[in-house]
Amino acid sequence: MTVSCDFSNEEGLLFPLSDTQVAELADAVLAHEGVDRECYVSVSVVSDAEIAETNLEWRGVDAPTDVVSLECERPNDPDLAPGEPCELGDIVLAPAYIEAQARRFGTTFADECRLLIVHGVLHLLGHDHLDDASAEAMEDLEDLILSAVPNDGTLGHVVITRHRTEDEA
């Protein structure tokens, strides 16, 4: 199993992880989830204004956010031919929002980005946090995956999925 990441930061925004680190995090999620099909994912780093537009268009929320995941295909899609790569989808990240969020949660900017990449890939694979049970399951997956990858050690247990906090605010 491998993931090919198309990493884009057209505005040259400050982002603490390399494209290689982003791909390694996506690989870690796919490995943990037992995905053995080659997958493609697009990861874009954008301004708060741009992610607010994306958030409004795709989630109906007129505000900036940390990450938006836009699912395309799932690795187990029966319409994919054997051996055909899977186009997982797009992950859009807003580093200014993420950096401010890291300060609120007492994490490093890099660790918060790691969490949100893992979070975004899990969404592309169909995981969600719409109710307490699914949120706890997703948080547990995030904890497991992040404990197995190099990080700054500032995350601890992901107590509340960041979006649940945002949605309830």
Side-chain angles (χ1 to χ4, degrees):
M1 170 272 320
T2 60
V3 66
S4 294
C5 274
D6 178 17
F7 184 80
S8 171
N9 184 355
E10 292 179 7
E11 296 180 44
L13 300 170
L14 178 64
F15 193 74
L17 305 176
S18 70
D19 54 346
T20 301
Q21 290 171 305
V22 170
E24 288 169 351
L25 287 162
D27 266 336
V29 175
L30 296 177
H32 184 272
E33 294 295 285
V35 174
D36 57 6
R37 179 185 296 273
E38 183 178 354
C39 294
Y40 298 105
V41 65
S42 169
V43 179
S44 299
V45 174
V46 301
S47 68
D48 281 358
E50 190 170 336
I51 204 163
E53 290 174 20
T54 303
N55 203 20
L56 178 60
E57 179 180 350
W58 292 97
R59 295 181 63 226
V61 178
D62 190 10
T65 188
D66 48 10
V67 62
V68 175
S69 299
L70 306 169
E71 182 183 328
C72 187
E73 298 175 323
R74 296 233 180 116
N76 59 354
D77 186 332
D79 292 333
L80 291 174
E84 180 182 354
C86 170
E87 181 69 42
L88 281 178
D90 305 314
I91 298 172
V92 184
L93 299 156
Y97 191 100
I98 295 168
E99 188 171 27
Q101 182 168 276
R103 287 191 297 272
R104 276 196 325 273
F105 286 104
T107 63
T108 64
F109 183 23
D111 271 354
E112 197 71 14
C113 288
R114 287 180 183 98
L115 167 62
L116 293 167
I117 291 163
V118 168
H119 184 88
V121 175
L122 286 171
H123 272 309
L124 295 180
L125 293 172
H127 294 279
D128 218 323
H129 44 81
L130 298 175
D131 57 46
D132 289 341
S134 61
E136 289 174 16
M138 191 165 178
E139 292 158 6
D140 289 345
L141 283 172
E142 291 166 349
D143 285 346
L144 282 170
I145 294 163
L146 288 164
S147 70
V149 298
N151 62 71
D152 297 338
T154 64
L155 288 169
H157 173 63
V158 179
V159 177
I160 297 176
T161 300
R162 296 337 194 219
H163 281 129
R164 284 181 48 111
T165 303
E166 173 186 287
D167 292 343
E168 293 169 0

